[in-house]
């Protein structure tokens, strides 16, 4: 793709679960001239995106925007609120939960990793009952935060965040509640205020459809209060200075101006479609994808239908098939990128992203690439997944479709 002397015809199918394809409207907005980040137009832009992004997180409280990838916003969530040596309860849902836990360790926190044994943890959602039991046992309240990943992008599992909140409340525990929505925001229903989340971490390059490069912390009043006494070192990530500057639409340092243009457009597109319609579209695409995988006779990585991800579908390979070799073949033959297996799932699965700027025909093309590639790779397929997805997507919409043939 990147070699300067070779441009494959047609468009590249970027079907990894983030970065997701950037709509032309966002790319055009990003090409506007970079303006003075202390000038009057900038303040108006800043106020507009800061207001709009709160609607996406469903919060009335501040959302801090960083010029960083999602990993930076993970670090910001921890360093703004916690003290060296604090115990943090995390839940092993997959690779991203594991990386966040490693970060907590490297920052001098004491994370405790709850989870199901073996590979089961990587095929199921967060178990709120296990969190509740652990918090009940923490009678001297040493645990300062509970951290979970909403949509585990390495596996295709979307956990029930409201259930985790209920578990914390049922245990009567004062720990802060932090949630990674880097791949779920603007794909799956999410309610920062209603679900009592203290810090929501997110990123630009998945459901929000932007290129990589900005990330977010939505901050509750309780988290903001914790930041006043928290002693982990932080400077660039410090909330208060940014929130103070944001009041008039500015940042204490140079913000990512052109990505904020794109964010402005993305918020406009998402709110125009309507958040509930965006979520329903993702659910529908995910269902069509799963029907294809089942028709192929392959196994879906997520083992619990209640927590299937609307963002991506993990496809397990039969024993003896190297998923990365299949991905490579599909990329080379059909100019289609699929997500690799991460961590414990390396080589055992690939991931089909159906997030952001994606519709039924986009996904059909991706599924066609998968089906042809799987056949070429010699993976035995039970039936055509493409036909199964077409049958699902082609069902008449309620009352809307008209037959033209007798
Ligand atoms: C992508 C992703 C991350 C990492 O974000 P970067 O932008 O790559 O730093 C973390 N958590 C989840 C759930 C993700 O999907």
């Amino acid at each position: 793709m990147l070699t300067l002397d070779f441009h494959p015809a047609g468009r590249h199918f970027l079907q990894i679960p983030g970065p997701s394809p950037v709509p032309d409207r966002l790319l055009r907005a990003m090409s506007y001239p970079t303006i003075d980040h202390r000038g009057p137009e900038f303040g108006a832009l800043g106020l507009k995106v800061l207001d709009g992004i709160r609607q996406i997180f469903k919060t009335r409280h501040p959302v801090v925007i960083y010029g960083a990838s999602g990993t930076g916003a993970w670090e910001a969530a921890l360093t703004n609120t916690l003290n060296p040596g604090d115990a943090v309860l995390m839940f092993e849902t997959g690779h991203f939960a594991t990386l966040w836990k490693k970060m907590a360790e490297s920052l001098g926190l004491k994370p405790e990793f709850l989870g199901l044994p073996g590979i089961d943890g990587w095929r199921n959602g967060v178990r709120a009952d296990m969190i509740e039991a652990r918090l009940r046992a923490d009678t001297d309240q040493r645990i300062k935060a509970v951290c979970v990943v909403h949509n585990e992008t390495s596996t295709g599992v979307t956990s029930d965040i409201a259930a985790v909140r209920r578990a914390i409340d049922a245990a009567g525990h004062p720990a802060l509640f932090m949630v990674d929505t880097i791949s779920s925001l603007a794909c799956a229903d999410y309610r920062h205020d209603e679900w009592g989340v203290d810090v929501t971490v997110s990123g630009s390059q998945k459901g929000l459809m932007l290129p990589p490069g900005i990330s977010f912390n939505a901050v509750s009043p309780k988290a903001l209060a914790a930041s006043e006494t928290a002693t982990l070192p932080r400077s660039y990530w410090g909330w208060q200075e940014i929130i103070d500057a944001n009041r008039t639409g500015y940042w204490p340092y140079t913000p990512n101006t052109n990505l904020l243009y794109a964010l402005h457009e993305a918020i406009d597109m998402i709110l125009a479609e309507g958040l509930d319609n965006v979520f329903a579209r993702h659910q529908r695409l995910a269902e069509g994808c799963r029907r294809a995988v089942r028709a192929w006779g392959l196994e879906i990585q997520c083992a619990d239908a209640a927590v299937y991800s609307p963002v991506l579908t993990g496809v397990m390979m039969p024993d003896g098939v190297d998923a990365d070799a299949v991905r490579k073949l599909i990329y080379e033959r059909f100019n289609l990128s699929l997500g690799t297996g991460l961590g414990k799932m390396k080589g055992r699965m690939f991931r089909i992203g159906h997030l952001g700027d994606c519709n039924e025909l986009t996904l059909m093309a991706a599924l066609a690439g998968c089906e042809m590639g799987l056949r070429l790779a010699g993976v035995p397929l039970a039936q055509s997944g493409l036909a199964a997805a077409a049958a699902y997507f082609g069902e008449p919409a309620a009352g809307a479709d008209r037959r033209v043939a007798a």
Side-chain angles (χ1 to χ4, degrees), residues 32-46 250 254-255 257-258 261:
Y32 299 162
T34 304
I35 55 172
D36 173 6
H37 63 290
R38 313 264 183 223
E41 293 89 357
F42 192 93
L45 170 71
Y250 297 91
T254 318
T257 308
N258 293 54
Y261 295 151

Side-chain angles (χ1 to χ4, degrees), residues 17-19 68-74 95-97 99-100 149-154 180-184 201-206 212-215 311-312 342 351:
S69 88
T71 303
W74 264 350
H95 185 65
F96 288 101
L99 289 179
W100 202 9
V149 175
H150 183 208
N151 183 72
E152 180 49 81
T153 321
S154 63
D180 170 347
T181 66
I182 293 176
S183 64
S184 54
V201 176
S202 204
S204 61
Q205 74 272 28
K206 305 196 180 171
I214 57 178
S215 55
V311 178
L312 74 143
L342 294 167
R351 297 169 298 145

Side-chain angles (χ1 to χ4, degrees), residues 97-116:
T98 306
L99 289 179
W100 202 9
K101 180 207 155 226
K102 282 193 183 138
M103 171 185 275
E105 275 164 358
S106 68
L107 291 171
L109 296 165
K110 296 265 177 306
E112 180 179 329
F113 220 17
L114 281 184
L116 299 173

Side-chain angles (χ1 to χ4, degrees), residues 119 315-317 321-323 341 344-350:
I119 216 67
V315 183
M316 293 178 79
M317 288 295 97
V321 176
D322 175 5
K344 288 183 184 175
M345 296 313 295
K346 182 88 198 139
R348 296 175 62 182
M349 65 163 335
F350 62 77

